[in-house]
């Protein structure tokens, strides 16, 4: 798909916002489901990009910075893979390949993140010097420049992919042999499964497992739509919160609060 100049500017702007939000983490433009959706909106490829963003979001749920360990860059992976999907012109058929390409892009983004944060230390020294002078306006200026540098970190790769253009990207995707595209599709599915496993590993408790199993059973009923599944999940969450209050409040009656509201109620009963 060929993009006009306005669409390219909007895509680069979305990429800039994704990079900035990767640090600010306020409006979550760096999250795959939002970044890919915005790119799909400005390029007229909303549905394929929304599918891509939703799939990548399942993987990114398990990415988190822990201490000095920096997680892969979800912003660059989302923006770059969405642009490649749009330029490739394959629509929904190109989602699997875009998902597989997102992983090495996320690792490359990690290197750019480390480089950007290393360069940001220079801005800190400049702000320290301005603080000694008592110049608050200069402190704010360098602070904004440091944040903008994080946006440029994503905007430049996005602009480079757009500069390559539709032809080379489409030729690259179409030149891939069938065994490679099939392998990318399988790999993309495995990547999502790994993301699920990472999230479950963080959330897994004896209180959550029954709901997890129940969700899988309910999902097998094909007549239930996503809205229906969401309503069931919301109802179960509200029931659990209500039982949590009852379980926590029954400690004064001689019962013990083990952290499992259902178990507490049964024990006290």
């Amino acid at each position: 798909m060929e993009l006009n100049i306005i669409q390219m500017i909007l895509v680069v702007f979305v990429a800039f916002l994704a990079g900035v939000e990767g640090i600010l983490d306020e409006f979550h433009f760096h999250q795959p489901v939002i970044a890919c959706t915005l790119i799909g909106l400005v390029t007229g490829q909303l549905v394929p990009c929304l599918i891509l963003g939703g799939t990548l979001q399942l993987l990114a749920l398990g990415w988190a910075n822990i201490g000095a360990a920096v997680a892969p860059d979800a912003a660059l992976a989302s923006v770059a893979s969405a642009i490649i999907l749009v330029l490739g012109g394959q629509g929904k058929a190109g989602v699997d390949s875009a998902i597989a390409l997102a992983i090495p892009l996320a690792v490359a983004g990690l290197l750019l993140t480390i480089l950007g944060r290393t360069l940001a230390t220079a801005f800190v020294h400049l702000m320290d010097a301005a603080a000694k002078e008592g110049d608050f306006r200069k402190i704010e200026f360098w602070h904004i420049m440091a944040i903008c540098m994080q946006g440029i970190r994503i905007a430049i790769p996005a602009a480079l992919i757009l500069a390559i253009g539709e032809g080379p990207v489409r030729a690259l995707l179409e030149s891939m042999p069938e065994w490679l595209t099939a392998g990318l599709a399988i790999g993309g599915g495995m990547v999502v499964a790994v993301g699920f496993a990472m999230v479950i590993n963080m959330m897994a408790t004896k209180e959550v497992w029954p709901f997890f199993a129940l969700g899988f059973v309910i999902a097998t009923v094909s007549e239930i739509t996503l809205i229906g599944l969401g309503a069931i999940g919301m109802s179960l969450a509200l029931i659990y919160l209500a039982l949590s209050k009852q379980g926590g409040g029954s400690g004064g009656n001689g019962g013990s609060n083990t952290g499992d509201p259902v178990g507490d109620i049964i024990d006290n009963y």
Side-chain angles (χ1 to χ4, degrees):
M1 174 182 178
E2 186 175 355
L3 303 179
N4 57 48
I5 187 64
I6 296 178
Q7 289 176 318
M8 291 182 181
I9 293 174
L10 290 175
V11 168
V12 173
F13 179 68
V14 171
F16 179 83
L17 290 179
V20 168
E21 279 300 301
I23 299 298
L24 296 180
D25 202 13
E26 183 176 1
F27 299 105
H28 297 280
F29 288 121
H30 65 294
Q31 296 293 344
V33 69
I34 296 181
C36 293
T37 301
L38 290 176
I39 291 177
L41 187 63
V42 300
T43 58
Q45 296 291 317
L46 181 59
V47 175
C49 288
L50 182 58
I51 296 173
L52 173 63
T55 307
L56 291 179
Q57 187 68 54
L58 298 176
L59 173 63
L61 287 174
W63 291 349
N65 296 333
I66 302 176
V70 182
D73 192 351
L76 181 60
S78 306
V79 170
S81 60
I83 295 174
I84 292 173
L85 175 63
V86 171
L87 293 179
Q90 296 179 340
K92 297 180 183 179
V95 171
D96 291 333
S97 299
I99 293 171
L101 292 174
I103 306 306
L105 290 172
V107 176
L110 172 60
L111 300 177
L112 291 176
T113 299
I114 296 174
L115 177 62
R117 295 186 180 185
T118 302
L119 295 176
T121 57
F123 290 94
V124 175
H125 295 305
L126 292 172
M127 286 187 282
D128 287 339
K132 291 180 180 179
E133 300 172 0
D135 192 340
F136 292 99
R137 183 163 297 182
K138 187 179 292 185
I139 295 174
E140 293 177 354
F141 172 79
W142 288 119
H143 177 75
I144 294 174
M145 288 298 101
I147 295 297
C148 289
M149 181 184 65
Q150 298 296 333
I152 294 173
R153 173 179 61 86
I154 306 298
I156 290 179
L160 290 177
I161 297 175
L162 291 172
I164 293 174
E166 172 193 7
V169 173
R170 182 189 292 270
L172 174 63
L173 295 177
E174 291 180 351
S175 64
M176 292 182 178
E178 184 177 354
W179 61 266
L180 179 58
T181 55
L184 290 176
I186 296 173
M190 294 177 63
V191 163
V192 176
V194 171
F196 266 122
M198 294 173 68
V199 175
I200 294 170
N201 188 46
M202 293 188 298
M203 297 175 57
T205 61
K206 61 179 182 180
E207 295 86 8
V208 174
W209 278 116
F211 296 99
F212 181 75
L214 183 61
F216 265 97
V217 174
I218 295 175
T220 60
V221 182
S222 58
E223 289 78 8
I224 302 179
T225 63
L226 289 178
I227 296 177
L229 289 174
I232 294 174
M234 180 66 69
S235 301
L236 290 175
L238 293 175
I239 293 172
Y240 184 82
L241 290 175
L243 293 177
S244 298
K245 294 179 181 179
Q246 294 182 26
S250 60
N253 297 327
S256 60
N257 187 2
T258 63
D260 182 0
V262 179
D264 291 337
I265 293 174
I266 294 175
D267 293 338
N268 293 328
Y269 181 78

